[in-house]
Amino acid sequence: MAAMVPVAHWFDGSSSDGVYMRFTESWRSVKTDGWGISKAGVGDDTNKLNAALSLIDYAYSPEGQILMSYGPDAFIMTDADGNYMTFKFNGTDMPMIAQATYDELWEKASGNYTNYARKYLGSTLSFVKSQAFEYQCTSEAGREGAGYISNAIGLGTIKHPELALTENAWYTSVPTVLPNTKTENDMIGTFTELGAKGKFGQNKDGENLFVNIICGGYSGEGTSSAEETMTTVSNTWNGAQYLALKQDAWQRLVTYYNEING
């Protein structure tokens, strides 16, 4: 059945006692990679430059968005005249997927749109995409729940990060990769205890300090209490240096953002 995001107790910085709220951090953000045209690639050939620009412009057009989301027309349902069969999605007419596409989606990717698009359609590249395709692959309860969440966000019942520099930085969506220099990244690479092969691994067989604390509390040499753990991470494992390098990179990004936005 469809369910609303639960109420949780978060310390968002607005109160020393924390705040009870409905919150989601599952938010689509701008990816840190993209497409570019190199000067070396086009030289002084204006026709070549315009051809490359036309290709990128198409990818961001309504037609290009459909291609990037659905793949070629063969994957879309059409009427007897070859016109797209459409449905309303967020107030816009969007194509319906062909039945063969839906069947293949489940046969090859167990209903996972992203895996199907990446592995079989060859779409979901770094361009604007619509959720209209995957919406059609969502269960009835999932669609109902998505509607509840959309309404709740619009009403402010659910709080979430924003793609902007918010007054309270807790609600600012931060890129997964910050603009650290090569020298800084080389230094970060030496902080082995902080990495995936150290104390913060995400693999099934790896070690993760967060999980250990949640499951068994504070224990072990250097991590027998909150205070001792903080000291170990900050000093022995170079956590303070890591944070300073990331804060510097973040500030450079903020400065650049403010400059280009006046």
Side-chain angles (χ1 to χ4, degrees), residues 217-240:
Y218 294 98
S219 63
E221 184 178 353
T223 58
S224 60
S225 67
E227 294 75 14
E228 189 176 38
T229 301
M230 184 178 297
T231 299
T232 299
V233 174
S234 297
N235 301 332
T236 307
W237 297 347
N238 299 298

Side-chain angles (χ1 to χ4, degrees), residues 113-217:
Y113 160 75
T114 300
N115 287 346
Y116 178 70
R118 288 174 178 169
K119 297 177 182 179
Y120 300 100
L121 289 185
S123 61
T124 71
L125 298 174
S126 297
F127 292 112
V128 178
K129 300 181 289 293
S130 170
Q131 291 179 290
F133 187 131
E134 53 196 307
Y135 178 82
Q136 296 174 72
C137 310
T138 304
S139 67
E140 184 176 347
R143 297 184 192 185
E144 181 184 355
Y148 291 160
I149 290 174
S150 178
N151 290 336
I153 289 176
L155 293 169
T157 304
I158 293 179
K159 295 187 177 184
H160 58 82
E162 300 178 30
L163 299 179
L165 292 175
T166 57
E167 183 176 349
N168 182 346
W170 201 83
Y171 296 98
T172 294
S173 182
V174 179
T176 53
V177 178
L178 295 174
N180 284 106
T181 65
K182 182 181 184 305
T183 299
E184 291 170 342
N185 281 325
D186 288 344
M187 183 181 297
I188 290 172
T190 67
F191 303 158
T192 54
E193 295 291 358
L194 301 179
K197 295 183 179 180
K199 303 295 185 180
F200 297 91
Q202 298 183 29
N203 295 329
K204 180 174 62 175
D205 300 326
E207 181 180 0
N208 189 297
L209 182 63
F210 292 128
V211 175
N212 293 345
I213 292 173
I214 292 171
C215 295

